[in-house]
Amino acid sequence: MKRGFWAAFAAVLALVLTTVPEFAQKGGAVGEQITLRVCNKTNDNTRVAVSYQPLGQSQFYNEGWYGVPSRSCQDIVTTGNSYIYGYAEVENDGTRYWAGDMPLCVQYPGPYAFWSAGTTCATNQEVRNFVTLRSENWGVFTWTLDP
């Protein structure tokens, strides 16, 4: 009986330890940081919105709009979480954008900054589908905006 219990306990513990939650916190020690760098490889200026956990915070923070000029790179935010969510669009052209499948709120015209408060946007906000960006390593994580 005891052997069966311990075998089941070990199986559950192994499952829990190998499962990575969607908003996995990588760490918090000094030097254990990820900087999101956005590189705009297009001939147009872009603007970027992000949702991330600021260093030392457990809640997600939403910010926009960071300008990333044509053919340049910008460091946007720093976090200790391996997950960052991003949305980018060509300035003054609502038909060209980089999106994913994570619905989050943005605010126009911006700039804006607010803490996440669930999936319901305020009356002055709109939903956009953000790209899920996940870094496997500490340091700089680059999101490239290709034409």
Side-chain angles (χ1 to χ4, degrees):
M1 175 88 172
K2 284 185 181 181
R3 185 172 291 161
F5 169 78
W6 288 113
F9 177 77
V12 168
L13 183 60
L15 179 63
V16 168
L17 292 177
T18 59
T19 303
V20 178
E22 182 177 350
F23 297 120
Q25 190 74 16
K26 286 193 68 145
V30 174
E32 294 181 342
Q33 299 176 357
I34 298 164
T35 297
L36 174 63
R37 177 173 293 157
V38 178
C39 289
N40 177 5
K41 300 294 184 185
T42 74
N43 291 324
D44 299 294
N45 293 335
T46 60
R47 56 192 208 154
V48 176
V50 293
S51 182
Y52 70 104
Q53 285 180 319
L55 291 170
Q57 298 294 318
S58 60
Q59 190 175 3
F60 274 74
Y61 196 62
N62 304 292
E63 289 185 286
W65 296 93
Y66 291 95
V68 183
S70 170
R71 304 284 174 198
S72 71
C73 296
Q74 297 285 333
D75 289 351
I76 304 293
V77 295
T78 301
T79 182
N81 187 308
S82 62
Y83 286 89
I84 302 170
Y85 299 90
Y87 175 83
E89 58 187 33
V90 172
E91 279 186 3
N92 303 316
D93 184 349
T95 64
R96 295 187 297 157
Y97 51 87
W98 292 262
D101 58 6
M102 174 61 78
L104 294 168
C105 302
V106 299
Q107 187 173 323
Y108 290 97
Y112 71 87
F114 57 87
W115 292 99
S116 290
T119 57
T120 303
C121 295
T123 56
N124 61 339
Q125 300 170 349
E126 299 177 28
V127 174
R128 292 293 180 265
N129 288 319
F130 282 56
V131 174
T132 301
L133 307 165
R134 183 169 185 262
S135 177
E136 296 290 332
N137 302 300
W138 302 117
V140 176
F141 177 85
T142 302
W143 181 27
T144 302
L145 306 177
D146 288 317

